[in-house]
Amino acid sequence: MNDKQHWYGYLEAGAKSSPVLLDRKLDTGNPQTFYLFNLTRKEILEYNRQIVEPKLRELKDKEAGLINDLKQIYGEVLRNFTPRVTQPLIVPERAPLAKPKVKKTDDDALDGLPIDDIEEDDAVWDEEDEKS
């Protein structure tokens, strides 16, 4: 295979033979497999390296016209393809601190109420008032 980003070849697999395109940018996340664009099926499929690599060959001179078809249809299929392995999410090392929840008290319920009718003496408590 060539060292270019795309390799154009032919998968010889009997009735399932097909022109194929290997895009080295696509990663399966498994070193034992790789993605190939299969022109006959018009799909990007995951293949087992050990099984498929021996069945791959370069395109012959008379098959060179297939390269344009491979490029064009692969481009269309690639737009809708999501590889199994994608970029990892950027996760912060530490979660941000949560704001403490403020518990409402009875005093909060009285906020905003008019205090016109309270006399000054009623507002002052002393220990004797609490005992009685």
Side-chain angles (χ1 to χ4, degrees), residues 11-22:
L11 173 63
E12 293 183 333
K16 296 183 180 183
S17 294
S18 173
V20 293
L21 180 150
L22 171 68

Side-chain angles (χ1 to χ4, degrees), residues 62 65 70 74 76 79-80 92 95-96 99 104 117 121 123 125:
K62 64 182 179 181
L70 283 165
Y74 173 69
E76 295 168 11
R79 280 187 227 123
N80 298 318
K99 293 182 181 178
K104 274 197 158 189
D117 298 334
D121 292 339
W125 290 82

Side-chain angles (χ1 to χ4, degrees), residues 17-35:
S17 294
S18 173
V20 293
L21 180 150
L22 171 68
D23 186 345
R24 290 184 173 82
K25 288 188 313 183
L26 297 179
D27 183 20
T28 64
N30 181 351
Q32 296 175 355
T33 64
F34 60 96
Y35 287 119

Side-chain angles (χ1 to χ4, degrees), residues 89-96:
L89 297 174
I90 299 173
V91 179
E93 192 172 308
R94 235 173 73 169

Side-chain angles (χ1 to χ4, degrees), residues 70-98:
L70 283 165
K71 284 181 183 180
Q72 180 185 357
I73 298 171
Y74 173 69
E76 295 168 11
V77 171
L78 183 61
R79 280 187 227 123
N80 298 318
F81 178 71
T82 304
R84 186 169 35 142
V85 176
T86 57
Q87 294 292 330
L89 297 174
I90 299 173
V91 179
E93 192 172 308
R94 235 173 73 169
L97 298 175

Side-chain angles (χ1 to χ4, degrees), residues 46-127:
E46 185 173 354
Y47 290 92
N48 185 309
R49 283 185 189 275
Q50 192 174 15
I51 295 169
V52 172
E53 278 186 341
K55 297 177 182 185
L56 293 174
R57 65 166 171 81
E58 298 278 339
L59 289 176
K60 296 178 181 174
D61 290 338
K62 64 182 179 181
E63 298 169 325
L66 292 172
I67 292 175
N68 288 334
D69 292 340
L70 283 165
K71 284 181 183 180
Q72 180 185 357
I73 298 171
Y74 173 69
E76 295 168 11
V77 171
L78 183 61
R79 280 187 227 123
N80 298 318
F81 178 71
T82 304
R84 186 169 35 142
V85 176
T86 57
Q87 294 292 330
L89 297 174
I90 299 173
V91 179
E93 192 172 308
R94 235 173 73 169
L97 298 175
K99 293 182 181 178
K101 291 186 179 182
V102 178
K103 186 176 180 181
K104 274 197 158 189
T105 62
D106 291 337
D107 292 340
D108 293 337
L110 299 177
D111 286 348
L113 295 177
I115 55 171
D116 298 353
D117 298 334
I118 299 176
E119 294 182 17
E120 198 171 308
D121 292 339
D122 291 340
V124 178
W125 290 82
D126 57 32
E127 290 179 21

